Every structure is written in structure tokens, then in C-alpha cells.
């Protein structure tokens, strides 16, 4: 049987007996993608309870919309739900997924702690991590002897390189979208800040610290530490700037590393290093986590099989190797020992140990938009950084009281 389905959900009574449906988006759910290979592997091992991939749209918003249409109607078409790491709280509060607390012991210890945190809400486990991602610093090893540990060091190096080489300094994701929120949070976290306490029952947003971080971004754009295109750059624009030799430093996800290594014409080819993001203290910076987790639908008629599948996908060496070979970071801790000769994967393994997820709050979409409205505008001189921070604090407090 084919493991590929179209984007329109098939009626539940058309499913084969014992079959579970894995509804997940992204490019790896499309024909030839890693998710299809994972399904084939499960089907070989479990012929009586096969899994069929329901390929949702590649864009996260589109995938979430299709899942929500089925779940809001209480439909049982989907058994396993591939969730972006920031959807957990929303799905729990909507009663769309079931607790996985009973399988926590199968995952802890062999699964990276950051992805486990992104799978939790209210102190309870609601999903099983599938793959992860983390922000890293790219730097030119021919321009600096070692990666800068602080933003002060990076800006000093950027100023020197600009004078000697005529290059821009640092490029990241500063455009007005979710990427700006991620980049801002990484700076805020590395300065010791956070939005909520550990169980998200209290706002701990420090207005003074948020003001300082936002002012740092504005000043870095003005004085040339951050590239002139920082406030309009997304992931692809950042990669192109660094790969083309226009920037000495870049914040991005791990994906560009292989593209740069394969581009023999790139000035960065063969002289690209990766390191933890800088901080304001000299300690390693804090990277934001991306990736997918798998949850079990509250309306599934095959929840036991679905639970077996999501635990298997998180802990199977074969599954996690399939993902790694497709340039996706695995969540299986022991697998990083297999990359002893790969300095990039070794570095990523260390970075991921301390990486943080964005809060899995039910209102995350609204929180992100408010951060873009206030903090982005302040970082670009359109409002006071302190006013933006105070408005953000008030908004976050409203998410607890609403």
C-alpha cells in the first residue's frame, strides 16, 4: 500500500483495519521525503498496524489550519499529529491531544532536554519529539582566529573587518516575522531574561533588560555591527549574504552549512566555522529550538498504536538516522556519539543541550505578533525601547489573566 496521501483528509471509515494516519507538513512529508521513509520502515516492522502519511502543506500555517479543521470538528481522520514545537499549549488547551505522561520514561534520558520541554505543557508531557533545530553562529575562520563569545567581541571584530575587508558584520533574521521574534529571544535569553517562569504561571519579563536588548539591536544596526539589510532579512537572505561573502558573521539554522560546503565558488567555502551564539556575559549564548514533535489525537480510535508509533519514532536509531541523513537534526542523544568525526554535529550536540523552546503557550501566535508590533518597531527607531518593553510586559500579563 502507498504511504502517501493527498492533502484532503480521507474519511475514517475508509482507513484500512489497524491503520493509523500520520498528519504532518513540511517538505519531508512530500514524495521522496524522510517522513515517507520513516513510514515505510514502520510498515515493514508492523505490517498489521501500518501508518499512512497524510502530507499536509509545507508551510507551518497551512499544516496547522488543515489539522485544526479536522480537530475542531472532532474528526478521527488523523491519529498522529506532527506539531510545530510552538503549538503544544494551544492543542492541549483545545483538548485536541492526549497526555503522553505514561510513556515519559521511554523518552527521558535518550531524548534531548530542549525538545522534551517543547513537548510539555503544565508540567505534563503531551508529545514525543521527532526532530529538532537550533540557532547557531556562522563565522569566517579566515577573518577571525576564533568565534566571538560575546556580542561586544563580535561587534569589535565586525568593525575591524569592515575597515579592512569592506564587508558587512553580522547578518541574522531581523525582518518583521517570527524570525525576528526568535532572534530577539535568543539575545534576551542570553542576557538572563525570560517571558514566563518554568510552569508559565507567572510573567517574569524584565522591562529593563528587554529595553537594553532592544536598544542593543537598534544601536548595532546604526553603527554597522549588524548588516544594513538585517531588518529585512529572513533565513534565505541571511544565507545568501554570508555565502556570497558579504557578511563575516551569521545567525541561522544548521541547514546552510551543507550548502556553503557544496558551493566551490563561495568565498565562505572551506573557511566557515560554527559555534554557539554569543552572549552578553561570555557564557555560551542560548539558541532557540525549532523542529517537529508528534502528538496523538484525542479523537483517534487507535490511540494505543499511535502512542507506540510516536515513541518509536523518537527513540529508534534507524528513524533518527534517516532524519540526520536528510539534514534534519535528530533528538536521540546517543546518536550524536556516531558523529565523532563531524565537528559540526559535535558542536550542535553541545548547543542543543542548552537550547530553549519558545513558550508553548496557547496564545503564542498573538504573543509573537505583539512582539513584532512593539519590539520590532522599537529596534527600528519607530518607538521607544522602554515603551515597547512596558507594553510587552502588560500584554504578557494579560495572557495569564485572560
Amino acid at each position: 500500500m502507498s504511504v502517501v496521501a493527498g492533502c484532503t483528509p480521507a474519511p475514517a471509515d475508509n482507513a484500512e483495519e489497524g491503520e493509523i494516519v500520520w498528519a504532518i507538513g513540511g517538505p519531508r512529508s512530500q514524495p521522496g521525503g524522510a517522513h515517507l521513509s520513516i513510514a515505510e520502515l514502520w510498515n515493514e516492522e508492523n505490517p498489521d498496524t501500518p501508518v499512512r502519511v497524510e502530507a499536509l502543506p509545507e508551510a507551518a500555517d497551512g499544516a496547522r489550519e488543515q489539522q485544526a479543521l479536522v480537530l475542531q470538528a472532532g474528526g478521527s481522520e488523523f491519529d498522529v499529529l506532527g506539531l510545530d514545537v510552538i503549538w503544544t499549549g494551544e492543542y492541549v488547551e483545545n483538548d485536541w491531544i492526549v497526555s503522553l505522561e505514561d510513556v515519559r520514561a521511554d523518552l527521558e534520558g535518550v531524548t534531548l532536554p530542549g525538545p522534551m520541554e517543547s513537548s510539555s505543557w503544565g508540567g505534563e508531557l503531551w508529545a514525543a519529539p521527532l526532530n529538532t533545530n537550533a540557532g547557531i553562529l556562522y563565522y569566517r575562520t579566515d577573518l577571525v582566529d576564533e568565534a566571538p563569545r560575546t556580542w561586544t567581541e563580535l561587534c569589535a571584530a565586525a568593525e575591524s573587518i569592515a575597515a579592512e575587508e569592506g564587508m558587512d558584520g553580522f547578518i541574522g533574521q531581523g525582518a518583521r516575522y517570527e524570525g525576528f521574534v526568535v532572534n530577539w529571544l535568543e539575545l534576551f535569553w542570553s542576557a538572563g531574561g525570560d517571558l514566563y517562569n518554568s510552569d508559565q504561571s507567572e510573567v517574569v519579563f524584565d522591562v529593563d533588560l528587554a529595553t537594553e536588548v532592544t536598544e542593543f539591536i537598534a544601536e548595532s544596526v546604526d553603527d554597522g555591527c549588524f548588516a544594513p539589510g538585517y531588518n529585512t532579512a529572513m533565513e534565505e537572505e541571511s544565507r545568501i549574504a554570508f555565502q556570497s561573502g558579504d557578511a563575516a558573521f551569521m545567525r541561522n539554522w544548521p541547514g546552510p552549512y551543507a550548502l556553503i560546503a557544496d558551493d566551490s565558488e563561495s568565498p565562505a567555502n572551506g573557511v566557515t566555522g560554527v559555534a554557539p551564539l554569543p552572549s552578553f556575559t561570555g557564557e555560551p549564548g542560548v539558541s532557540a529550538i525549532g523542529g517537529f514533535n508528534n502528538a496523538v489525537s484525542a479523537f483517534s480510535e487507535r490511540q494505543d498504536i499511535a502512542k507506540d508509533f510516536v515513541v518509536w519514532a523518537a527513540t529508534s536509531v534507524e528513524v533518527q538516522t534517516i532524519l540526520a541523513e536528510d539534514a534534519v537534526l535528530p533528538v536521540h542523544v546517543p546518536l550524536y556519539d556516531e558523529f565523532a568525526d563531524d565537528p559540526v554535529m559535535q558542536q550542535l550536540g553541545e548547543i542543543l543541550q542548552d537550547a530553549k523552546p519558545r513558550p508553548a503557550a496557547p496564545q503564542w501566535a498573538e504573543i509573537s505578533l505583539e512582539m513584532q508590533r512593539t519590539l520590532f518597531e522599537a529596534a527600528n527607531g519607530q518607538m521607544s525601547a522602554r515603551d515597547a518593553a512596558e507594553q510587552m510586559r502588560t500584554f504578557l500579563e494579560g495572557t495569564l489573566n485572560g
Side-chain angles (χ1 to χ4, degrees):
M1 61 167 286
S2 172
V3 295
V4 184
C7 289
T8 302
D13 55 9
N14 282 355
E16 294 185 12
E17 184 177 357
E19 180 185 72
I20 58 172
V21 176
W22 182 18
I24 187 168
R28 290 167 182 83
S29 294
Q30 309 308 313
H35 296 157
L36 285 302
S37 299
I38 291 169
E40 291 170 357
L41 181 62
W42 167 271
N43 294 346
E44 291 173 5
E45 298 178 6
N46 303 273
D48 295 331
T49 54
V51 62
R52 174 168 58 86
V53 174
E54 184 72 35
L56 303 183
E58 292 191 35
D61 289 349
R64 184 204 160 280
E65 180 180 357
Q66 289 210 5
Q67 288 183 356
L69 286 172
V70 171
L71 297 167
Q72 286 169 346
S76 60
E77 291 94 328
F78 300 154
D79 302 289
V80 175
L81 305 167
L83 307 187
D84 188 290
V85 294
I86 58 175
W87 298 348
T88 309
E90 176 191 4
Y91 279 52
V92 172
E93 294 297 313
N94 287 336
D95 296 321
W96 288 347
I97 56 180
V98 302
S99 172
L100 296 186
E101 195 63 27
D102 57 325
V103 298
R104 177 187 287 274
D106 297 326
L107 299 168
E108 284 188 327
V110 296
T111 306
L112 288 166
M116 285 290 287
E117 183 181 346
S118 75
S119 299
S120 302
W121 176 250
E124 193 166 349
L125 187 68
W126 294 90
L130 176 65
N131 66 271
T132 191
N133 215 346
I136 57 176
L137 178 71
Y138 291 75
Y139 67 99
R140 289 279 296 272
T141 59
D142 58 331
L143 300 177
V144 293
D145 293 333
E146 58 184 7
R149 296 175 60 86
T150 68
W151 288 105
T152 300
E153 291 175 2
L154 185 146
C155 286
E159 182 178 342
S160 174
I161 292 168
E164 295 177 8
E165 305 290 340
M167 294 170 60
D168 292 329
F170 172 82
I171 188 71
Q173 292 74 60
R176 188 170 181 165
Y177 78 120
E178 181 74 14
F180 167 81
V181 175
V182 169
N183 279 232
W184 188 92
L185 280 172
E186 288 173 336
L187 287 162
F188 189 53
W189 288 333
S190 74
D194 215 332
L195 304 187
Y196 301 99
N197 63 351
S198 59
D199 64 1
Q200 299 186 27
S201 62
E202 179 184 354
V203 173
V204 297
F205 187 83
D206 187 318
V207 170
D208 291 338
L209 196 61
T211 300
E212 292 174 12
V213 166
T214 306
E215 288 177 342
F216 168 76
I217 297 174
E219 291 167 1
S220 295
V221 172
D222 287 343
D223 66 20
C225 173
F226 285 16
Y230 176 80
N231 61 3
T232 59
M234 298 185 184
E235 283 84 356
E236 188 65 359
E237 291 84 358
S238 302
R239 178 190 65 80
I240 290 171
F242 185 84
Q243 189 168 338
S244 300
D246 294 332
F249 303 99
M250 173 178 68
R251 182 270 175 212
N252 216 319
W253 307 102
Y257 189 85
L259 297 176
I260 295 167
D262 289 341
D263 182 2
S264 60
E265 301 299 317
S266 168
N269 179 270
V271 289
T272 293
V274 298
L277 293 170
S279 71
F280 293 98
T281 64
E283 297 296 320
V286 181
S287 298
I289 285 177
F292 273 103
N293 302 324
N294 280 324
V296 175
S297 170
F299 309 105
S300 168
E301 297 173 356
R302 303 177 178 88
Q303 291 182 7
D304 289 345
I305 301 171
K307 282 188 180 183
D308 288 343
F309 174 79
V310 302
V311 171
W312 170 82
T315 58
S316 164
V317 173
E318 292 82 1
V319 168
Q320 294 290 302
T321 299
I322 287 172
L323 293 168
E325 290 174 346
D326 199 24
V328 181
L329 296 183
V331 297
H332 191 56
V333 174
L335 191 59
Y336 283 87
D337 293 335
E338 302 296 320
F339 300 109
D341 297 329
D342 187 331
V344 176
M345 289 300 290
Q346 284 292 298
Q347 184 71 260
L348 287 169
E350 295 176 12
I351 292 170
L352 285 164
Q353 293 293 333
D354 297 316
K356 282 175 64 72
R358 286 154 283 172
Q363 310 92 342
W364 179 254
E366 291 81 5
I367 293 170
S368 176
L369 288 174
E370 183 66 9
M371 294 178 78
Q372 294 169 46
R373 187 186 73 80
T374 56
L375 300 173
F376 176 86
E377 291 187 3
N380 288 278
Q382 297 165 2
M383 70 182 298
S384 156
R386 179 161 293 278
D387 287 348
E390 289 175 346
Q391 289 182 33
M392 198 65 232
R393 169 89 195 195
T394 299
F395 186 89
L396 291 170
E397 288 172 342
T399 65
L400 298 184
N401 301 328

